């Protein structure tokens, strides 16, 4: 029995390792190719490691495109979206999980139902609304669709249902107000779920392409995905420069995930999501 269990475990780990290698190989090739010259990238048979680390690709990218501005725009848009989603989702999730009011369950179902509506269906009315409010080509217009997230409300509600009601009631007996209970007791206990939601929101905002493409009409408002698309169209035959630009776009979000992966996994596990 033990031998069969051990064989099954080894098989699972081997399959997971193969899957991990298959997932990471394109990313590793992109990063390594960003340090190669164009003739070395086009060499057949291809080589995985660069013969010599070459930083000229990154210098050329910064010289030919304003990637610093694109990066700052992406950071600003992502930061506003993350802060807004964390605040609104945690407050709504706390209300749905710990307060009883008329129509609570129906309202929660309505919130979940919005997840079934694709963004492509909502994009036209959102664009008309942004135009009427004079928010086109502004940071406010860029972040407008991502200020509130129904999935975030669901995630925080599921996690906050695991917080003991006795803990909140004892704080009320001690004279603590609702805002103090929320910010001093509930939010510190919800750090794993907040970390998971931060990663989700950051990835969605960082990779967003369609909405910034519609809203931004000048290059100084471009985020990294828009800047990368414009750069790739301009230098379609320069694979070396494209790999360097793509690496600069992907690495910040990858580093953020590596720092927060422990909390992310804990938050996903404790909310009962598989």
């Amino acid at each position: 029995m033990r031998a069969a269990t051990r064989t099954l475990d080894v098989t699972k780990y081997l399959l997971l390792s193969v899957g991990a290698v298959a997932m990471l190989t394109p990313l590793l090739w992109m990063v390594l190719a960003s340090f190669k010259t164009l003739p070395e990238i086009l060499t057949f048979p291809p080589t995985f490691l660069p013969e010599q680390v070459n930083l000229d690709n990154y210098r050329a990218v910064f010289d030919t495109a304003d990637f610093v501005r694109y990066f700052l725009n992406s950071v600003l848009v992502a930061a506003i979206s993350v802060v807004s989603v964390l605040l609104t989702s945690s407050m709504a999730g706390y209300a749905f999980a710990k307060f009883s009011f008329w129509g609570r369950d129906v309202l929660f179902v309505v919130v979940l139902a919005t997840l079934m509506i694709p963004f492509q269906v909502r994009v036209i009315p959102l664009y008309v609304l942004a135009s009427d409010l004079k928010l086109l080509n502004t940071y406010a217009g860029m972040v407008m669709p991502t200020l509130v997230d129904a999935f975030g409300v669901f995630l925080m509600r599921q996690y906050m249902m695991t917080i003991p009601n006795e803990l909140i009631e004892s704080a009320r007996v001690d004279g603590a107000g609702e805002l103090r209970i929320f910010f001093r007791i509930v939010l510190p206990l919800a750090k794993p779920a907040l970390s998971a939601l931060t990663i989700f929101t950051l990835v969605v905002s960082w990779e967003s392409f369609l909405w910034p493409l519609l809203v931004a009409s000048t290059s100084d408002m471009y985020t990294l995905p828009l800047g990368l698309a414009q750069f790739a169209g301009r230098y379609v035959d320069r694979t070396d420069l494209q790999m360097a630009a793509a690496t600069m776009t992907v690495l910040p979000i990858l580093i953020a995930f590596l720092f927060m992966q422990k909390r992310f996994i804990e938050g996903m596990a404790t909310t009962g999501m598989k």
Side-chain angles (χ1 to χ4, degrees), residues 26-71:
L27 177 64
L28 291 176
W29 190 89
M30 178 188 70
V31 175
L32 295 174
S34 68
F35 297 106
K36 298 179 181 179
T37 61
L38 183 59
E40 187 178 355
I41 293 176
L42 300 178
T43 299
F44 186 84
T47 58
F48 195 70
L49 296 176
E51 296 178 359
Q52 185 178 1
V53 175
N54 177 28
L55 297 178
D56 292 339
N57 296 335
Y58 290 92
R59 298 190 187 99
V61 169
F62 281 110
D63 290 340
T64 55
D66 194 4
F67 266 84
V68 175
R69 182 58 183 265
Y70 304 155
F71 176 80

Side-chain angles (χ1 to χ4, degrees), residues 116-127 210:
M116 301 173 63
I117 305 175
F119 179 74
Q120 290 79 2
V121 176
R122 296 179 283 132
V123 68
I124 294 179
L126 282 173
Y127 182 84
L210 177 59

Side-chain angles (χ1 to χ4, degrees), residues 170-214:
S170 63
R172 289 172 180 161
V173 171
D174 291 338
E178 294 299 333
L179 287 178
R180 185 176 182 183
I181 293 174
F182 178 73
F183 286 104
R184 299 293 296 275
I185 297 177
V186 175
L187 284 188
L189 293 174
K191 284 182 179 179
L194 291 172
S195 299
L197 183 57
T198 298
I199 290 294
F200 278 122
T201 308
L202 184 60
V203 170
V204 171
S205 177
W206 195 268
E207 296 180 348
S208 179
F209 181 81
L210 177 59
W211 181 252
L213 178 64
L214 295 174

Side-chain angles (χ1 to χ4, degrees), residues 4 6 20 32 36 43 66 80 100 128 133 170 206 214 221 225 230 236 269:
R6 185 176 301 175
L32 295 174
K36 298 179 181 179
T43 299
D66 194 4
I80 295 174
S100 297
V128 173
L133 295 176
S170 63
W206 195 268
L214 295 174
M221 292 296 298
Q230 183 189 55
V236 66

Side-chain angles (χ1 to χ4, degrees), residues 38-178:
L38 183 59
E40 187 178 355
I41 293 176
L42 300 178
T43 299
F44 186 84
T47 58
F48 195 70
L49 296 176
E51 296 178 359
Q52 185 178 1
V53 175
N54 177 28
L55 297 178
D56 292 339
N57 296 335
Y58 290 92
R59 298 190 187 99
V61 169
F62 281 110
D63 290 340
T64 55
D66 194 4
F67 266 84
V68 175
R69 182 58 183 265
Y70 304 155
F71 176 80
L72 293 177
N73 289 341
S74 291
V75 169
L76 180 61
V77 171
I80 295 174
S81 299
V82 168
V83 171
S84 177
V85 168
L86 290 182
L87 181 61
T88 56
S89 298
S90 58
M91 295 180 71
Y94 178 58
F96 282 124
K98 298 302 181 183
F99 288 90
S100 297
F101 52 89
W102 184 85
R104 181 190 65 177
D105 295 337
V106 175
L107 182 59
F108 183 65
V109 171
V110 171
V111 172
L112 291 183
T114 61
L115 293 173
M116 301 173 63
I117 305 175
F119 179 74
Q120 290 79 2
V121 176
R122 296 179 283 132
V123 68
I124 294 179
L126 282 173
Y127 182 84
V128 173
L129 178 61
S131 178
D132 292 341
L133 295 176
K134 309 299 182 184
L135 297 180
L136 297 181
N137 204 41
T138 64
Y139 291 114
M142 298 274 278
V143 302
M144 186 181 69
T146 58
L147 294 178
V148 181
D149 183 31
F151 175 77
V153 174
F154 167 74
L155 184 69
M156 296 306 300
R157 185 253 189 186
Q158 295 301 107
Y159 186 89
M160 290 182 178
M161 288 182 67
T162 65
I163 299 177
N165 293 329
E166 294 78 8
L167 185 63
I168 298 175
E169 292 297 335
S170 63
R172 289 172 180 161
V173 171
D174 291 338
E178 294 299 333

Side-chain angles (χ1 to χ4, degrees), residues 218-241:
T218 57
S219 60
D220 61 315
M221 292 296 298
Y222 282 2
T223 56
L224 277 173
L226 294 183
L228 179 61
Q230 183 189 55
F231 183 85
R234 186 187 307 172
Y235 298 97
V236 66
D237 58 341
R238 293 297 304 272
T239 308
D240 52 343
L241 299 185

